[in-house]
Amino acid sequence: MVEAAGTAPAPAQGRQAGIIRGLLQATEVDVRLIGMLVALAVIWIGFHIASNGLFLSPRNLWNLSVQTATIAVLANGMVLIIVSRNIDLSVGSLLGFIGMVVAVVQAEFLPWLVGGHVPLVWLIAIVVGLVAGAVIGALQGVIVAFFQVPSFIVTLGGLLIWRGATFIMTTGRTVAPLDETYQWFGGGHTGTIGATASWVVGVIVCIGVVASIIMGRRQRRRFNFPLRPIWAEVFLSVVGCIAVIGAVAVINAYPMPPLLARRYAQAHHIPWPQGGLFISFGISVPVLIALATALAMTFIAKRTRFGRYVFAIGGNPEAAILAGIKTRRVIMQTFIVMGILCGVAAVIATARLNAATVGLGTNYELYTIAAAVIGGTSFSGGIGTISGAMLGALLMQSLQSGMELMGIDTPLQNVIIGIVLVVAVGIDTAYRRRTA
Amino acid sequence: MAEDRIPLVDMRDISVAFGGIHAVEHAYIDLYAGEVVGLVGGNGAGKSTLMKVLSGAQRRDSGEIYIDGKVATINNPRDAKIYGIETIYQTLALADNIDAASNLFLGRELTTKVGTLDDIAMEAATRKVMGRLNPHFVRFKNPVITLSGGQRQSVAIARAIHFNARILIMDEPTAALGPAESEQVRNLVKQLKKEGIGIFLISHEIHDVFDLADRITVMKTARMVGTVNKNDVDTDKVLGMIIGGSIPPGVAITHAYSEARV
């Protein structure tokens, strides 16, 4: 994953490698992040060629973004858990359990309680889901942090318990359909924000990128710290904005199929011309949720005491205690955060399916952990980034969806993903050992 | 030290046991402002454990700690820091994966008005204190695992002195350092002493202890041998105390609270 920039250059390539190294140094970009982007590019281009140009189509990339959202949300929380030297094997079952709770609340319990349609039932259901996630996370966290039962065991128990409880709740029945407004969160055909709003989101993100670079520079100048060269700042701003605008352009290039577009036009009183209309779906709601979650979690990890303590505990638990950190409380809180994110992911997954099934989220704990470690989170603790985990989730999903596109069977898919996981982490470990 | 002054630290009858093993048994030690007390003894004598009791890192089974003559409640590292007790541990106790500023302020982060971490202000303060301690230090953005032994040591020292410590515990501060860096630490100890800070110095390096300490406390197999004025003894006598476990004839015990006086 890191061969692009990490290896010593051969003499003939020396000059070029020098430029790359200078660029990396000046922009202070994480080499491993670049490595992941390169790996992702290789996978995408590889599948694009192998699938005769299907993979890099707006339609496929749009689908890929929606499919990635659930695991991406979970991986955000898993980073903090693994960084603090713990593990959570229960996230898949917890997602299934909360999904079932949320579905039962909106489709059966509340309507039965009031004997008809409940206003804002979608909101109530979501709040119930998030609270359930927080409570269950707190419960598991307390057992891990205060009763000192290894998190592997506690959450292995959770994996069995919450899956079993999901079945018991409805004796295995699938609960459907769900509230219409609620489905918006699943990113189905109604769960998108359209082309214009997507552009607005893109522009806002661009402004945010540039503003944070300018503000960071101003702060550093105020304290007379060494500054990045101005060209590096400009380079970062331009690359960031091009990436964002490019992503929005690709997403907006995926139009609604004629039937849906016609219905949409009718609903919005747009005249239907002879050749049809190009109406974009725009960014889907789950993708927005995943991005917002990543932003929030990055903020928590980098800008709050809690985040700093999670990393300090992962780096040296003893030192964290001696520094006066209430390490047990911090560990418990990481599990609460993970539980809430399970709630978020459960809402996305059930809304997307328009149902809650007993098997929902099965094996998700494995995909989530894989996404986090492919994204550079280290099992020895103290190392990991939210952005890395997001890329890890995207990489995993790209592999899966690419292989599906090529008609590769699920068993072989699993074999390949398993190999990629081990190889990726192997390369990463070797790289880290060399640079440490 | 004058008997009528109130000691900065006075630890009395401290006992710590791990299972059935006594790590520290009825130990007592005191320290005055602007004084360096060297704490010496063989491996397993209980020096580090006794100091960990003072820094809140080790629960005691019995005994009392007086700070400025008043009973102090020290049950965890946070409590100790409130009393101005800072510790430089032998292991340095740094989180290797985060940078110097994050380590320096760990547990005491500076925050902005809205409660977020103020990394810039912390880096500025770190640059200031490191400029005084180790002017060659430039790697403010790197995790401390990438630093040399001496640089890591200076981060640990910076953390202890930045917060206006009144009582400083240094556990083998020169063990991992080269000659030049050790000299730097010795100069620092002298400077801090001048500023009126009381320092407990644990060291295997008997010459360091003689160079820096005003008084020397000797422990052997979890018990106090005694505390003597440096000027009353020489290295041979102190080594005799460490090995033999008794005060040499004709040397006065200087501790205010001791079994000899009870």
Side-chain angles (χ1 to χ4, degrees), chain A residues 216 219-220 223 225-226 299 302-305 308-309 311-312 314-316 318-326 381-383 435, chain B residues 57 77-78 81 89 93-98 102 106-111 115-124 127 141 159:
Chain A
Q219 279 274 331
R220 294 189 68 79
F223 283 91
F225 290 172
F299 176 82
K302 301 250 186 202
R303 300 250 68 89
T304 68
R305 281 209 162 119
R308 177 67 43 86
Y309 294 167
F311 279 82
N316 188 345
E318 186 76 9
I321 294 169
L322 292 175
I325 295 170
K326 293 174 177 166
I383 297 169
T435 52
Chain B
R78 279 187 304 282
K81 282 169 188 176
Y89 294 95
L94 298 172
D96 282 332
N97 55 331
I98 55 181
S102 304
L106 192 57
R108 294 182 277 205
E109 288 76 7
L110 301 179
T111 51
T116 58
L117 295 177
D118 196 345
D119 278 321
I120 296 275
M122 287 193 269
E123 189 181 332
R127 281 176 185 272
K141 285 279 168 211
R159 174 165 66 182

Short mmCIF file of all heavy atoms in Angstrom, two decimals, chain A residues 216 219-220 223 225-226 299 302-305 308-309 311-312 314-316 318-326 381-383 435, chain B residues 57 77-78 81 89 93-98 102 106-111 115-124 127 141 159:
data_model
loop_
_atom_site.label_atom_id
_atom_site.label_comp_id
_atom_site.label_asym_id
_atom_site.label_seq_id
_atom_site.Cartn_x
_atom_site.Cartn_y
_atom_site.Cartn_z
N GLY A 216 -5.26 27.73 9.72
CA GLY A 216 -4.12 27.04 10.32
C GLY A 216 -2.84 27.84 10.12
O GLY A 216 -2.04 28.01 11.03
N GLN A 219 -2.80 30.99 12.32
CA GLN A 219 -2.49 30.62 13.71
C GLN A 219 -0.99 30.41 13.90
O GLN A 219 -0.40 30.90 14.85
CB GLN A 219 -3.21 29.33 14.07
CG GLN A 219 -4.66 29.52 14.44
CD GLN A 219 -4.81 29.87 15.90
OE1 GLN A 219 -3.99 29.48 16.71
NE2 GLN A 219 -5.82 30.63 16.23
N ARG A 220 -0.41 29.64 12.97
CA ARG A 220 1.01 29.31 13.11
C ARG A 220 1.87 30.55 12.97
O ARG A 220 2.89 30.69 13.62
CB ARG A 220 1.42 28.24 12.09
CG ARG A 220 0.75 26.90 12.33
CD ARG A 220 1.32 25.81 11.46
NE ARG A 220 2.68 25.49 11.83
CZ ARG A 220 3.02 24.73 12.87
NH1 ARG A 220 2.07 24.25 13.65
NH2 ARG A 220 4.26 24.48 13.14
N PHE A 223 2.09 32.61 16.18
CA PHE A 223 3.01 32.11 17.20
C PHE A 223 4.43 31.97 16.65
O PHE A 223 5.29 31.38 17.29
CB PHE A 223 2.53 30.75 17.73
CG PHE A 223 1.40 30.88 18.70
CD1 PHE A 223 0.09 30.84 18.26
CD2 PHE A 223 1.65 31.03 20.06
CE1 PHE A 223 -0.96 30.96 19.15
CE2 PHE A 223 0.60 31.14 20.95
CZ PHE A 223 -0.71 31.12 20.50
N PHE A 225 5.58 30.06 14.33
CA PHE A 225 6.01 28.69 14.07
C PHE A 225 6.49 28.59 12.63
O PHE A 225 6.11 29.39 11.79
CB PHE A 225 4.85 27.71 14.26
CG PHE A 225 4.43 27.56 15.69
CD1 PHE A 225 3.29 26.85 16.00
CD2 PHE A 225 5.17 28.12 16.73
CE1 PHE A 225 2.89 26.70 17.31
CE2 PHE A 225 4.77 27.98 18.03
CZ PHE A 225 3.62 27.27 18.32
N PRO A 226 7.32 27.57 12.35
CA PRO A 226 7.70 27.34 10.95
C PRO A 226 6.45 27.12 10.11
O PRO A 226 5.52 26.43 10.53
CB PRO A 226 8.53 26.06 11.01
CG PRO A 226 8.86 25.85 12.43
CD PRO A 226 7.92 26.62 13.27
N PHE A 299 -13.08 15.33 14.43
CA PHE A 299 -13.07 16.41 15.42
C PHE A 299 -12.87 15.85 16.82
O PHE A 299 -12.03 16.32 17.58
CB PHE A 299 -14.39 17.18 15.32
CG PHE A 299 -14.53 18.25 16.35
CD1 PHE A 299 -13.94 19.49 16.15
CD2 PHE A 299 -15.23 18.03 17.52
CE1 PHE A 299 -14.05 20.49 17.11
CE2 PHE A 299 -15.35 19.02 18.48
CZ PHE A 299 -14.75 20.25 18.28
N LYS A 302 -9.23 14.48 17.21
CA LYS A 302 -8.11 15.41 17.14
C LYS A 302 -8.26 16.64 18.04
O LYS A 302 -7.27 17.25 18.43
CB LYS A 302 -7.93 15.90 15.70
CG LYS A 302 -7.69 14.77 14.72
CD LYS A 302 -6.27 14.81 14.22
CE LYS A 302 -6.10 13.78 13.14
NZ LYS A 302 -4.76 13.36 12.93
N ARG A 303 -9.48 17.04 18.30
CA ARG A 303 -9.67 18.35 18.91
C ARG A 303 -10.23 18.29 20.34
O ARG A 303 -10.43 19.33 20.94
CB ARG A 303 -10.59 19.22 18.05
CG ARG A 303 -10.09 19.50 16.66
CD ARG A 303 -9.67 20.95 16.49
NE ARG A 303 -8.49 21.25 17.28
CZ ARG A 303 -7.24 21.10 16.85
NH1 ARG A 303 -7.01 20.65 15.64
NH2 ARG A 303 -6.22 21.38 17.63
N THR A 304 -10.54 17.11 20.83
CA THR A 304 -11.09 17.05 22.18
C THR A 304 -10.16 16.28 23.11
O THR A 304 -9.33 15.48 22.67
CB THR A 304 -12.47 16.33 22.21
OG1 THR A 304 -12.27 14.95 21.91
CG2 THR A 304 -13.43 16.94 21.21
N ARG A 305 -10.31 16.57 24.40
CA ARG A 305 -9.53 15.86 25.41
C ARG A 305 -9.78 14.36 25.31
O ARG A 305 -8.85 13.57 25.36
CB ARG A 305 -9.99 16.31 26.80
CG ARG A 305 -9.43 17.61 27.22
CD ARG A 305 -9.32 17.63 28.75
NE ARG A 305 -8.41 18.68 29.13
CZ ARG A 305 -8.78 19.70 29.89
NH1 ARG A 305 -9.99 19.78 30.36
NH2 ARG A 305 -7.91 20.63 30.20
N ARG A 308 -7.77 12.83 22.59
CA ARG A 308 -6.35 12.81 22.94
C ARG A 308 -6.07 11.68 23.93
O ARG A 308 -5.08 10.97 23.82
CB ARG A 308 -5.99 14.18 23.53
CG ARG A 308 -4.58 14.36 24.04
CD ARG A 308 -3.52 14.33 22.97
NE ARG A 308 -3.77 15.05 21.74
CZ ARG A 308 -3.52 16.35 21.54
NH1 ARG A 308 -3.01 17.08 22.49
NH2 ARG A 308 -3.76 16.91 20.39
N TYR A 309 -6.98 11.49 24.89
CA TYR A 309 -6.77 10.47 25.91
C TYR A 309 -6.87 9.06 25.32
O TYR A 309 -6.13 8.16 25.71
CB TYR A 309 -7.79 10.63 27.05
CG TYR A 309 -7.61 11.91 27.84
CD1 TYR A 309 -8.58 12.35 28.73
CD2 TYR A 309 -6.45 12.67 27.70
CE1 TYR A 309 -8.40 13.52 29.45
CE2 TYR A 309 -6.28 13.84 28.41
CZ TYR A 309 -7.26 14.27 29.28
OH TYR A 309 -7.08 15.43 29.98
N PHE A 311 -5.95 8.15 22.40
CA PHE A 311 -4.66 7.87 21.75
C PHE A 311 -3.56 7.68 22.78
O PHE A 311 -2.71 6.80 22.63
CB PHE A 311 -4.32 8.98 20.76
CG PHE A 311 -5.02 8.81 19.44
CD1 PHE A 311 -6.32 9.24 19.29
CD2 PHE A 311 -4.38 8.20 18.39
CE1 PHE A 311 -6.99 9.06 18.09
CE2 PHE A 311 -5.03 8.01 17.18
CZ PHE A 311 -6.35 8.44 17.03
N ALA A 312 -3.57 8.49 23.85
CA ALA A 312 -2.53 8.35 24.88
C ALA A 312 -2.63 6.99 25.55
O ALA A 312 -1.61 6.33 25.79
CB ALA A 312 -2.66 9.47 25.91
N GLY A 314 -3.81 4.27 24.25
CA GLY A 314 -3.34 3.28 23.30
C GLY A 314 -1.82 3.27 23.19
O GLY A 314 -1.21 2.23 23.00
N GLY A 315 -1.21 4.44 23.32
CA GLY A 315 0.24 4.53 23.19
C GLY A 315 0.96 3.99 24.42
O GLY A 315 1.97 3.31 24.31
N ASN A 316 0.44 4.29 25.58
CA ASN A 316 1.07 3.85 26.82
C ASN A 316 0.07 3.98 27.98
O ASN A 316 -0.05 5.04 28.58
CB ASN A 316 2.32 4.70 27.10
CG ASN A 316 3.12 4.17 28.27
OD1 ASN A 316 2.64 3.36 29.06
ND2 ASN A 316 4.35 4.63 28.40
N GLU A 318 0.03 2.90 30.95
CA GLU A 318 0.65 3.24 32.23
C GLU A 318 0.88 4.75 32.32
O GLU A 318 0.55 5.39 33.32
CB GLU A 318 1.99 2.49 32.31
CG GLU A 318 2.69 2.61 33.62
CD GLU A 318 2.06 1.74 34.69
OE1 GLU A 318 1.18 0.91 34.37
OE2 GLU A 318 2.42 1.91 35.86
N ALA A 319 1.44 5.31 31.26
CA ALA A 319 1.73 6.75 31.24
C ALA A 319 0.44 7.55 31.36
O ALA A 319 0.41 8.59 32.03
CB ALA A 319 2.47 7.12 29.96
N ALA A 320 -0.63 7.05 30.73
CA ALA A 320 -1.91 7.77 30.79
C ALA A 320 -2.42 7.81 32.22
O ALA A 320 -2.89 8.84 32.70
CB ALA A 320 -2.93 7.09 29.88
N ILE A 321 -2.29 6.70 32.94
CA ILE A 321 -2.73 6.66 34.33
C ILE A 321 -1.88 7.62 35.17
O ILE A 321 -2.39 8.40 35.96
CB ILE A 321 -2.64 5.23 34.89
CG1 ILE A 321 -3.64 4.32 34.18
CG2 ILE A 321 -2.88 5.22 36.40
CD1 ILE A 321 -3.45 2.84 34.48
N LEU A 322 -0.56 7.57 34.95
CA LEU A 322 0.33 8.43 35.73
C LEU A 322 0.10 9.91 35.42
O LEU A 322 0.38 10.77 36.24
CB LEU A 322 1.80 8.06 35.45
CG LEU A 322 2.24 6.70 35.98
CD1 LEU A 322 3.65 6.38 35.56
CD2 LEU A 322 2.10 6.64 37.50
N ALA A 323 -0.41 10.20 34.22
CA ALA A 323 -0.71 11.59 33.88
C ALA A 323 -2.02 12.04 34.51
O ALA A 323 -2.44 13.17 34.35
CB ALA A 323 -0.76 11.76 32.37
N GLY A 324 -2.67 11.13 35.21
CA GLY A 324 -3.90 11.49 35.91
C GLY A 324 -5.16 11.32 35.08
O GLY A 324 -6.21 11.83 35.43
N ILE A 325 -5.06 10.60 33.95
CA ILE A 325 -6.24 10.39 33.11
C ILE A 325 -7.10 9.29 33.72
O ILE A 325 -6.59 8.27 34.17
CB ILE A 325 -5.81 10.01 31.68
CG1 ILE A 325 -5.07 11.18 31.04
CG2 ILE A 325 -7.00 9.60 30.85
CD1 ILE A 325 -4.40 10.82 29.73
N LYS A 326 -8.41 9.53 33.72
CA LYS A 326 -9.33 8.50 34.21
C LYS A 326 -9.54 7.50 33.07
O LYS A 326 -10.52 7.55 32.33
CB LYS A 326 -10.64 9.12 34.64
CG LYS A 326 -10.48 10.00 35.86
CD LYS A 326 -11.77 10.73 36.20
CE LYS A 326 -11.57 11.55 37.46
NZ LYS A 326 -12.64 12.53 37.67
N GLY A 381 -2.11 -0.64 19.19
CA GLY A 381 -2.68 0.49 19.90
C GLY A 381 -2.02 1.81 19.60
O GLY A 381 -0.87 1.88 19.20
N GLY A 382 -2.79 2.87 19.77
CA GLY A 382 -2.25 4.22 19.68
C GLY A 382 -2.16 4.80 18.28
O GLY A 382 -1.88 5.98 18.14
N ILE A 383 -2.40 3.98 17.27
CA ILE A 383 -2.24 4.48 15.90
C ILE A 383 -3.49 4.20 15.09
O ILE A 383 -3.99 3.07 15.07
CB ILE A 383 -1.02 3.84 15.21
CG1 ILE A 383 0.25 4.22 15.96
CG2 ILE A 383 -0.92 4.27 13.75
CD1 ILE A 383 1.46 3.44 15.52
N THR A 435 10.26 2.62 9.28
CA THR A 435 10.32 4.06 9.49
C THR A 435 10.37 4.44 10.97
O THR A 435 10.69 5.56 11.30
CB THR A 435 9.10 4.77 8.86
OG1 THR A 435 7.93 4.11 9.34
CG2 THR A 435 9.16 4.71 7.37
N ALA B 57 0.94 7.28 42.49
CA ALA B 57 0.88 6.17 41.55
C ALA B 57 0.76 4.83 42.27
O ALA B 57 0.51 3.80 41.65
CB ALA B 57 2.11 6.16 40.66
N PRO B 77 -2.57 10.12 40.96
CA PRO B 77 -1.63 11.12 40.42
C PRO B 77 -2.23 12.52 40.34
O PRO B 77 -1.52 13.51 40.48
CB PRO B 77 -1.31 10.58 39.03
CG PRO B 77 -1.52 9.12 39.12
CD PRO B 77 -2.67 8.94 40.06
N ARG B 78 -3.54 12.60 40.13
CA ARG B 78 -4.18 13.92 40.07
C ARG B 78 -4.04 14.66 41.39
O ARG B 78 -3.74 15.85 41.42
CB ARG B 78 -5.66 13.77 39.70
CG ARG B 78 -5.94 13.60 38.24
CD ARG B 78 -7.44 13.63 37.97
NE ARG B 78 -8.16 12.63 38.75
CZ ARG B 78 -8.21 11.34 38.45
NH1 ARG B 78 -7.59 10.90 37.38
NH2 ARG B 78 -8.88 10.49 39.20
N LYS B 81 -0.57 16.07 41.90
CA LYS B 81 -0.28 17.25 41.09
C LYS B 81 -0.90 18.50 41.70
O LYS B 81 -0.35 19.59 41.55
CB LYS B 81 -0.74 17.01 39.66
CG LYS B 81 0.25 16.12 38.93
CD LYS B 81 -0.24 15.63 37.60
CE LYS B 81 0.76 14.60 37.09
NZ LYS B 81 0.38 13.97 35.86
N TYR B 89 9.59 9.78 35.95
CA TYR B 89 9.73 8.36 36.19
C TYR B 89 10.93 7.80 35.44
O TYR B 89 11.32 8.33 34.40
CB TYR B 89 8.47 7.61 35.77
CG TYR B 89 7.28 7.96 36.61
CD1 TYR B 89 6.37 8.94 36.21
CD2 TYR B 89 7.06 7.32 37.83
CE1 TYR B 89 5.28 9.27 37.00
CE2 TYR B 89 5.97 7.64 38.61
CZ TYR B 89 5.08 8.62 38.19
OH TYR B 89 4.02 8.94 38.97
N ALA B 93 7.50 7.44 31.32
CA ALA B 93 6.03 7.49 31.26
C ALA B 93 5.54 8.45 30.19
O ALA B 93 4.73 9.34 30.44
CB ALA B 93 5.45 7.87 32.63
N LEU B 94 6.05 8.29 28.98
CA LEU B 94 5.57 9.08 27.86
C LEU B 94 4.67 8.21 26.98
O LEU B 94 4.89 7.02 26.86
CB LEU B 94 6.74 9.58 27.01
CG LEU B 94 7.75 10.50 27.70
CD1 LEU B 94 8.94 10.74 26.79
CD2 LEU B 94 7.10 11.81 28.09
N ALA B 95 3.64 8.82 26.39
CA ALA B 95 2.86 8.12 25.38
C ALA B 95 3.63 8.28 24.07
O ALA B 95 3.73 9.37 23.53
CB ALA B 95 1.46 8.70 25.27
N ASP B 96 4.19 7.16 23.59
CA ASP B 96 5.13 7.21 22.47
C ASP B 96 4.53 7.70 21.17
O ASP B 96 5.23 8.17 20.29
CB ASP B 96 5.69 5.80 22.22
CG ASP B 96 6.76 5.46 23.23
OD1 ASP B 96 7.42 6.40 23.71
OD2 ASP B 96 6.94 4.26 23.53
N ASN B 97 3.22 7.53 21.05
CA ASN B 97 2.60 7.77 19.74
C ASN B 97 2.18 9.21 19.52
O ASN B 97 1.71 9.55 18.45
CB ASN B 97 1.38 6.85 19.59
CG ASN B 97 0.41 7.03 20.73
OD1 ASN B 97 0.80 7.36 21.85
ND2 ASN B 97 -0.86 6.84 20.46
N ILE B 98 2.30 10.05 20.54
CA ILE B 98 1.89 11.45 20.36
C ILE B 98 3.09 12.37 20.54
O ILE B 98 4.14 11.94 21.01
CB ILE B 98 0.72 11.82 21.31
CG1 ILE B 98 1.08 11.53 22.75
CG2 ILE B 98 -0.53 11.09 20.92
CD1 ILE B 98 -0.03 11.85 23.73
N SER B 102 1.83 17.24 23.23
CA SER B 102 0.71 16.44 23.73
C SER B 102 1.11 15.69 25.00
O SER B 102 0.30 15.53 25.92
CB SER B 102 0.25 15.43 22.68
OG SER B 102 -0.07 16.09 21.49
N LEU B 106 -0.32 16.29 28.78
CA LEU B 106 -1.23 15.16 28.94
C LEU B 106 -1.93 15.22 30.30
O LEU B 106 -1.29 15.31 31.34
CB LEU B 106 -0.46 13.84 28.80
CG LEU B 106 -1.32 12.59 28.64
CD1 LEU B 106 -2.23 12.70 27.44
CD2 LEU B 106 -0.44 11.35 28.51
N GLY B 107 -3.26 15.20 30.26
CA GLY B 107 -4.04 15.28 31.48
C GLY B 107 -4.28 16.71 31.94
O GLY B 107 -5.09 16.95 32.84
N ARG B 108 -3.58 17.68 31.33
CA ARG B 108 -3.73 19.09 31.72
C ARG B 108 -3.76 19.97 30.48
O ARG B 108 -3.16 21.04 30.43
CB ARG B 108 -2.56 19.51 32.60
CG ARG B 108 -2.54 18.80 33.93
CD ARG B 108 -1.41 19.27 34.78
NE ARG B 108 -0.17 18.59 34.44
CZ ARG B 108 0.84 18.44 35.31
NH1 ARG B 108 0.75 18.95 36.52
NH2 ARG B 108 1.93 17.81 34.96
N GLU B 109 -4.47 19.50 29.45
CA GLU B 109 -4.46 20.17 28.17
C GLU B 109 -4.95 21.61 28.26
O GLU B 109 -5.85 21.92 29.05
CB GLU B 109 -5.34 19.40 27.17
CG GLU B 109 -4.75 18.09 26.70
CD GLU B 109 -4.87 16.99 27.74
OE1 GLU B 109 -5.53 17.21 28.77
OE2 GLU B 109 -4.30 15.91 27.51
N LEU B 110 -4.36 22.46 27.45
CA LEU B 110 -4.89 23.80 27.29
C LEU B 110 -6.04 23.72 26.31
O LEU B 110 -5.96 23.01 25.31
CB LEU B 110 -3.81 24.74 26.73
CG LEU B 110 -2.53 24.88 27.55
CD1 LEU B 110 -1.57 25.82 26.84
CD2 LEU B 110 -2.85 25.38 28.94
N THR B 111 -7.10 24.44 26.60
CA THR B 111 -8.24 24.40 25.70
C THR B 111 -8.62 25.81 25.26
O THR B 111 -8.27 26.79 25.91
CB THR B 111 -9.47 23.74 26.37
OG1 THR B 111 -9.68 24.37 27.63
CG2 THR B 111 -9.24 22.26 26.59
N GLY B 115 -13.68 24.95 24.40
CA GLY B 115 -13.37 23.67 25.04
C GLY B 115 -12.61 22.68 24.19
O GLY B 115 -12.39 21.55 24.61
N THR B 116 -12.22 23.08 22.98
CA THR B 116 -11.43 22.18 22.16
C THR B 116 -9.95 22.33 22.51
O THR B 116 -9.54 23.32 23.12
CB THR B 116 -11.62 22.48 20.66
OG1 THR B 116 -11.24 23.84 20.43
CG2 THR B 116 -13.06 22.31 20.25
N LEU B 117 -9.17 21.33 22.13
CA LEU B 117 -7.74 21.36 22.42
C LEU B 117 -7.08 22.54 21.71
O LEU B 117 -7.31 22.76 20.52
CB LEU B 117 -7.08 20.06 21.96
CG LEU B 117 -7.50 18.79 22.67
CD1 LEU B 117 -6.80 17.59 22.04
CD2 LEU B 117 -7.18 18.87 24.15
N ASP B 118 -6.26 23.29 22.43
CA ASP B 118 -5.55 24.40 21.82
C ASP B 118 -4.12 23.96 21.53
O ASP B 118 -3.18 24.29 22.26
CB ASP B 118 -5.58 25.62 22.75
CG ASP B 118 -5.19 26.89 22.01
OD1 ASP B 118 -4.64 26.77 20.90
OD2 ASP B 118 -5.44 27.98 22.54
N ASP B 119 -3.97 23.18 20.45
CA ASP B 119 -2.66 22.60 20.14
C ASP B 119 -1.61 23.66 19.86
O ASP B 119 -0.44 23.48 20.20
CB ASP B 119 -2.78 21.65 18.93
CG ASP B 119 -3.30 20.28 19.35
OD1 ASP B 119 -2.88 19.82 20.42
OD2 ASP B 119 -4.11 19.69 18.62
N ILE B 120 -2.04 24.74 19.25
CA ILE B 120 -1.07 25.80 18.91
C ILE B 120 -0.51 26.41 20.20
O ILE B 120 0.71 26.56 20.33
CB ILE B 120 -1.77 26.87 18.06
CG1 ILE B 120 -2.24 26.28 16.73
CG2 ILE B 120 -0.84 28.05 17.84
CD1 ILE B 120 -1.21 26.24 15.65
N ALA B 121 -1.37 26.71 21.14
CA ALA B 121 -0.89 27.29 22.39
C ALA B 121 -0.01 26.31 23.14
O ALA B 121 1.00 26.69 23.74
CB ALA B 121 -2.09 27.69 23.25
N MET B 122 -0.38 25.03 23.08
CA MET B 122 0.43 24.01 23.77
C MET B 122 1.79 23.88 23.11
O MET B 122 2.81 23.74 23.78
CB MET B 122 -0.32 22.67 23.79
CG MET B 122 -1.49 22.66 24.76
SD MET B 122 -2.14 21.01 25.06
CE MET B 122 -3.38 20.89 23.80
N GLU B 123 1.80 23.94 21.77
CA GLU B 123 3.08 23.85 21.08
C GLU B 123 3.94 25.07 21.41
O GLU B 123 5.15 24.95 21.63
CB GLU B 123 2.87 23.74 19.56
CG GLU B 123 4.17 23.43 18.83
CD GLU B 123 3.99 23.32 17.31
OE1 GLU B 123 2.90 22.96 16.86
OE2 GLU B 123 4.97 23.61 16.59
N ALA B 124 3.31 26.23 21.49
CA ALA B 124 4.05 27.45 21.80
C ALA B 124 4.70 27.33 23.18
O ALA B 124 5.88 27.64 23.36
CB ALA B 124 3.12 28.65 21.75
N ARG B 127 7.54 24.86 23.05
CA ARG B 127 8.73 25.43 22.41
C ARG B 127 9.49 26.32 23.41
O ARG B 127 10.71 26.33 23.44
CB ARG B 127 8.34 26.25 21.18
CG ARG B 127 8.04 25.39 19.97
CD ARG B 127 7.56 26.23 18.80
NE ARG B 127 7.17 25.38 17.68
CZ ARG B 127 8.02 24.95 16.74
NH1 ARG B 127 9.28 25.31 16.77
NH2 ARG B 127 7.60 24.18 15.77
N LYS B 141 6.74 18.11 15.91
CA LYS B 141 5.57 17.51 15.25
C LYS B 141 5.63 15.98 15.27
O LYS B 141 4.68 15.32 14.88
CB LYS B 141 5.50 17.99 13.80
CG LYS B 141 5.02 19.43 13.67
CD LYS B 141 3.51 19.48 13.77
CE LYS B 141 3.04 20.92 13.95
NZ LYS B 141 1.81 20.98 14.75
N ARG B 159 7.91 18.33 31.22
CA ARG B 159 6.57 18.12 31.75
C ARG B 159 6.54 18.34 33.26
O ARG B 159 5.59 18.87 33.80
CB ARG B 159 6.11 16.69 31.43
CG ARG B 159 4.80 16.34 32.07
CD ARG B 159 4.20 15.12 31.48
NE ARG B 159 5.00 13.93 31.76
CZ ARG B 159 4.68 12.72 31.31
NH1 ARG B 159 3.63 12.55 30.56
NH2 ARG B 159 5.44 11.69 31.61
#
